[in-house]
Amino acid sequence: MNISKYILTCIVSLLAIGSSLTLTSCKDDDGGGQPVIERVRLTDPEKADSAFTVAGLGQMILIEGHNLGHAMNIYINNQDCYFNTNYNTDTHIIMTIPTDLIVYGADNSLPMEIRVETTHGTAVYGFHVIAGTPSIDYYKADMPLNSEGIPEMQPGQIVELHGSLLHEIESIYVAGLDTVKIADCPSWEVNDSCTVAYVNMPQTIPARGIIVMECFAGTAYCGFSKSPMAPELISVFPDMPIPGQTVTLTGKYLTDLMAINIGGEIDIDLDDVTVSDAQDKVTFKMPSQIPSTAATGTIKLRTLGGVAELPFYRYDWILEDFDGNGTSQNWNWGTDVRGAWWDAASFTVEPASGGWIGFEAYAGWWDHNIQFNGKQAPAGIDANTPLTDLELRYEVYLPQMPDATCYTQITFMGGTVDRTDIADQYTGKTLVGEWMSVAIPLTKFGEGTYGDLVGAAPGDDGNFKIYHDFESREGIWFAVAYDNFRIYKIK
């Protein structure tokens, strides 16, 4: 009896010890103990030594440490971030930094840290997330007149730097064109969205220089001029507008406007001109007057900083404007044609810049078309001009919206573009009762230079055609007008 009792007692004790060992083992496997983050690195095993404390939005990271199992929440900059628990072990957590995370700099009250909360404790690790490299797009400055009556930046005045990600600014200074520092800017402030920095200029301001902004995430640069910069024009669209059309000029330093002149003949009322906040776009409505054939063929924009110009209403670039300014041809024919040279249309086009060509009829297989034979190419373009620098442009008008989608098919000097939307290419919109402007790269009609294209064109076989195509032809009444087919040099 005593022996049996002793054996039973030993068995119970062994069972108790075994149970205790089992529980202890399970507790270890579950990541018990205070969690600790030792480092953050890349997920690539070959870069296991790539520990870092700074990362960008959207970057995948591996959090490494011990007792990290059973993570319940992960916070970066005090913001709850998603992670997949399948990638959570006692020693590792794999996750992606959210792309919409608010970073320190955008909100300076945020802690720069990763915090992992588990069932058995919390681990904190200092970590710096950046949204990206700062950039400055343009500057604004009110320039008072100096003693000679010239607008000029003054020491201590505020200059606005407009850009993005203007976070954690460490210094701002003025440098020469060689980026060598001239003087520190004494102070600055940044708006809540970190898109505008209001900078006090130093006592020394060069005639031409660079404002340098050094931030934690990188350096941004902005060229400036002590007096207004000379304007630069990049594009104008349309370049041969119908009265009432919106004309858009794009470029740089388009501010402090003094005049806009067309062809040396027409001055635009500046009260009717709109300038974008970024000073890179100017818009106005084309007045009722259009330039004569004796005009200069340019549009000039004058600011306090200087003058810039672009080709505008170049009559020597016209293929056909239906007012007698087009190139010569042998003969033409078409179906359902209305307008300048054919029967009157049942619809009106208002306003117009003279003659135009139109079409109207029910949609069918062989209608709404015209073919010009032996049409000569405009002679005002240098034959060596690459086709990449040239466009075929024209204006198009819909008196009513068709019941089905329709397209313009254009043939120019032997090359054909089958489907061009009847829509304004600058805005992408199809408008009714308003002129729209279309531009087709000449590279869609051929290769090489302008001389290569027009030299290879057939002399008397429909080298300029206007056809139409329709998604549906069942009972569709379709009317359209065109004007001012021309070549435009965009570079």
Side-chain angles (χ1 to χ4, degrees), residues 259-262 266-273 284-287:
I260 297 178
N261 178 270
I262 296 174
I266 305 165
D267 288 315
I268 303 300
D269 188 343
L270 295 184
D271 290 338
D272 300 328
V273 175
F284 63 90
K285 296 285 188 180
M286 184 66 187

Side-chain angles (χ1 to χ4, degrees), residues 60-382:
M60 182 177 285
I61 60 174
L62 189 151
I63 302 170
E64 192 172 80
H66 57 269
N67 298 331
L68 298 176
H70 292 287
M72 298 185 299
N73 300 96
I74 299 178
Y75 296 88
I76 301 179
N77 291 7
N78 211 29
Q79 298 160 71
D80 197 355
C81 301
Y82 168 81
F83 70 101
N84 190 332
T85 56
N86 292 327
Y87 299 105
N88 174 204
T89 70
D90 187 48
T91 57
H92 296 87
I93 300 173
I94 297 175
M95 67 173 298
T96 299
I97 300 172
T99 56
D100 59 352
L101 187 82
I102 301 173
V103 300
Y104 180 85
D107 182 350
N108 290 340
S109 68
L110 296 174
M112 292 187 290
E113 63 182 24
I114 297 175
R115 188 170 79 251
V116 177
E117 294 182 351
T118 73
T119 57
H120 45 276
T122 300
V124 178
Y125 186 77
F127 199 76
H128 198 155
V129 179
I130 58 175
T133 304
S135 65
I136 303 172
D137 300 323
Y138 61 95
Y139 74 94
K140 283 185 176 181
D142 293 326
M143 300 182 184
L145 300 180
N146 63 17
S147 59
E148 298 178 354
I150 299 173
E152 187 177 76
M153 279 187 193
Q154 301 298 314
Q157 80 162 82
I158 298 293
V159 172
E160 298 179 12
L161 302 179
H162 292 252
S164 59
L165 304 180
L166 307 182
H167 300 165
E168 301 183 76
I169 299 173
E170 297 174 343
S171 70
I172 301 177
Y173 59 87
V174 169
L177 298 179
D178 54 3
T179 70
V180 174
K181 182 190 290 188
I182 294 175
D184 286 304
C185 296
S187 61
W188 60 84
E189 293 182 1
V190 182
N191 66 348
D192 291 341
S193 60
C194 297
T195 56
V196 183
Y198 303 90
V199 180
N200 286 92
M201 293 299 284
Q203 291 298 309
T204 304
I205 305 175
R208 295 284 188 274
I210 296 173
I211 298 176
V212 182
M213 177 186 291
E214 294 181 337
C215 303
F216 176 84
T219 302
Y221 303 88
C222 182
F224 75 95
S225 173
K226 189 174 184 178
S227 292
M229 292 283 282
E232 298 178 19
L233 286 178
I234 297 172
S235 71
V236 57
F237 198 80
D239 63 285
M240 194 170 284
I242 309 298
Q245 269 190 287
T246 297
V247 178
T248 301
L249 293 160
T250 66
K252 296 170 64 177
Y253 315 119
L254 308 183
T255 185
D256 299 317
L257 295 186
M258 299 181 66
I260 297 178
N261 178 270
I262 296 174
E265 299 177 339
I266 305 165
D267 288 315
I268 303 300
D269 188 343
L270 295 184
D271 290 338
D272 300 328
V273 175
T274 300
V275 181
S276 67
D277 289 340
Q279 307 168 20
D280 62 352
K281 185 187 299 182
V282 170
T283 58
F284 63 90
K285 296 285 188 180
M286 184 66 187
S288 57
Q289 180 186 358
I290 63 172
S292 71
T293 55
T296 61
T298 62
I299 183 168
K300 287 188 177 182
L301 179 143
R302 181 184 297 275
T303 72
L304 288 174
V307 178
E309 65 179 29
L310 284 173
F312 196 80
Y313 258 90
R314 285 286 299 262
Y315 283 93
D316 58 336
W317 291 357
I318 292 176
L319 178 65
E320 187 55 64
D321 70 349
F322 312 103
D323 291 309
N325 297 305
T327 61
S328 64
Q329 60 177 333
N330 293 337
W331 54 281
N332 60 67
W333 64 270
T335 62
D336 306 317
V337 187
R338 305 288 188 270
W341 302 338
W342 293 273
D343 296 335
S346 66
F347 59 88
T348 57
V349 176
E350 291 291 343
S353 59
W356 45 267
I357 186 175
F359 305 88
E360 60 174 330
Y362 282 100
W365 180 254
W366 191 253
D367 56 21
H368 296 88
N369 65 79
I370 187 169
Q371 174 169 310
F372 296 82
N373 295 281
K375 186 71 169 171
Q376 298 300 303
I381 303 293
D382 189 295

Side-chain angles (χ1 to χ4, degrees), residues 21-49:
L21 289 171
T22 302
L23 288 172
T24 302
S25 176
C26 288
K27 188 175 181 181
D28 289 341
D29 290 343
D30 287 347
Q34 176 62 35
V36 174
I37 300 173
E38 296 174 342
R39 63 175 183 163
V40 175
R41 66 174 179 84
L42 298 174
T43 55
D44 188 346
E46 295 182 359
K47 298 180 180 179
D49 295 329

Side-chain angles (χ1 to χ4, degrees), residues 369-426:
N369 65 79
I370 187 169
Q371 174 169 310
F372 296 82
N373 295 281
K375 186 71 169 171
Q376 298 300 303
I381 303 293
D382 189 295
N384 295 318
T385 305
L387 293 183
T388 52
D389 294 353
L390 301 172
E391 293 176 338
L392 174 68
R393 293 186 175 187
Y394 58 88
E395 313 307 304
V396 60
Y397 180 100
L398 287 174
Q400 65 185 50
M401 187 67 74
D403 295 329
T405 303
C406 45
Y407 306 93
T408 306
Q409 182 191 93
I410 298 288
T411 296
F412 175 68
M413 299 296 137
T416 297
V417 177
D418 288 326
R419 287 193 165 193
T420 298
D421 292 337
I422 299 178
D424 185 82
Q425 289 200 349
Y426 191 82

